[in-house]
Amino acid sequence: MHGECKVALLGFGGVNRGLVELIIAHNSRHRTPTIKIVGVSDLLLGHCINKSGLDCEMLLQVPAREGAFAVLGNAAPDNEGVISDSGCDVVVEATFSNVATGEPGASLCEAALLAGKHVVTTNKGSVAHGADRLSSVAALMGRKFLYEGAVMSGTPVLVWATDCFPGARVTRVRGILNGTTNFILGQMEMGFSFNAALEQAQHLGYAEADPAADVEGLDTRAKIIVLAKSVLGRSLSNSDVPCEGVKAITSEMIAQAKAEGRRWKLVGDINVEGDELLAKVGPVKLMPDDPLSGISSVTNALELTIEPLGVTMVTGPGAGRVETAYAVLSDLLRIVGGLVREDEKTDAG
Ligand code: HSE
């Protein structure tokens, strides 16, 4: 894989289409690594494979219509065939998966790892419910399993939280982790109704395929479970995280909070109490001096309380197809970077 990375895509919705756009731009700006798409499978469109690389511009022309991949290959989906027959180095899993169960994404990630592929996913459900198993399979197979896009889209909070504080102790993880609900609450502050604001969030590509996952807090819960695993090294399940969404927040409550100088936000929170993690997701009426209070629209924020530093915070885009696709590109480049170094070591030896 000298200077070249062959990628298979599972799912061809907004995120993987955004990735193809970023790959075209990347390949035009950088001579190496060249990123090639060698296979794509999508439940609706079908599948296509070209071991020498599919034409990215042509891929982007394919409409989101049943069987549309017939023009490039086959009208039927074939995830397994694309994993095994495309000659890919990395599988990018961005299928429509259930946030509460992680399926079918988690099983697809496992199949790809077992086939000896590196895996990048943006599916927080797959990571929240499968990370223990998927990380072990990855280690067993000597492959990487990366998921930067599972939390705060392209804002690199997992790399930040896991790599930047060696020797420190994290005592609290708290954040605004869902772009759709933060956008909705902001629009309601401007006088829009809940439903009108949700429609805008869907139109802008922030919401999940089933937006109930956003407004009921399930998306934030999955992200809290991912953070517990990657930042604190602890496994939580859905039942460990009491979860309430934003559906009970009315325009009157928003107006009342505004009059008090406060703002309603959907907050995910993990407190480390001795050996215990106290995790929860729910709406909080924040005081104006709370660092999370100023986080508006689709912007998200992750706050870590750390001994001996105190409170540190990263803010940035929390949703969006190209923003999430950027997380995938960054993971691909991390994988290629690592492999190129290994290849070079072998050559030198
Ligand atoms: N629906 C999610 C959100 C997408 O609004 O945050 C990014 O995970």
Side-chain angles (χ1 to χ4, degrees), residues 176 181-186 188-189 244-246 248-258 260-267 282-287 292-293 295-296:
I176 293 174
T181 47
N182 208 45
F183 176 82
I184 290 173
L185 294 171
M188 287 173 77
E189 286 171 349
E244 193 189 328
V246 295
I249 306 292
T250 61
S251 300
E252 290 69 34
M253 289 163 76
I254 298 261
Q256 174 64 34
K258 208 168 168 181
E260 296 165 10
R262 297 170 72 180
R263 300 181 86 188
W264 282 100
K265 297 285 177 191
L266 183 65
V267 176
V284 182
K285 193 162 66 164
L286 296 176
M287 300 297 283
L292 295 183
S293 171
I295 305 302
S296 294

Side-chain angles (χ1 to χ4, degrees), residues 49 51 78-88 91 115 117:
I49 292 176
K51 288 185 175 186
D78 185 3
N79 292 313
E80 290 71 23
V82 163
I83 292 170
S84 58
D85 301 340
S86 64
C88 63
V91 170
K117 313 299 179 185

Side-chain angles (χ1 to χ4, degrees), residues 124 150 177-180 206-208 214 219 223 300 318-319:
K124 44 251 145 177
L177 303 170
N178 180 269
T180 300
Y206 304 151
E208 295 300 298
D214 297 295
D219 176 84
K223 290 166 178 168
N300 282 185

Side-chain angles (χ1 to χ4, degrees), residues 232-247:
L232 301 167
R234 300 280 293 274
S235 301
L236 295 178
S237 61
N238 287 342
S239 58
D240 296 321
V241 189
C243 178
E244 193 189 328
V246 295
K247 277 162 107 179

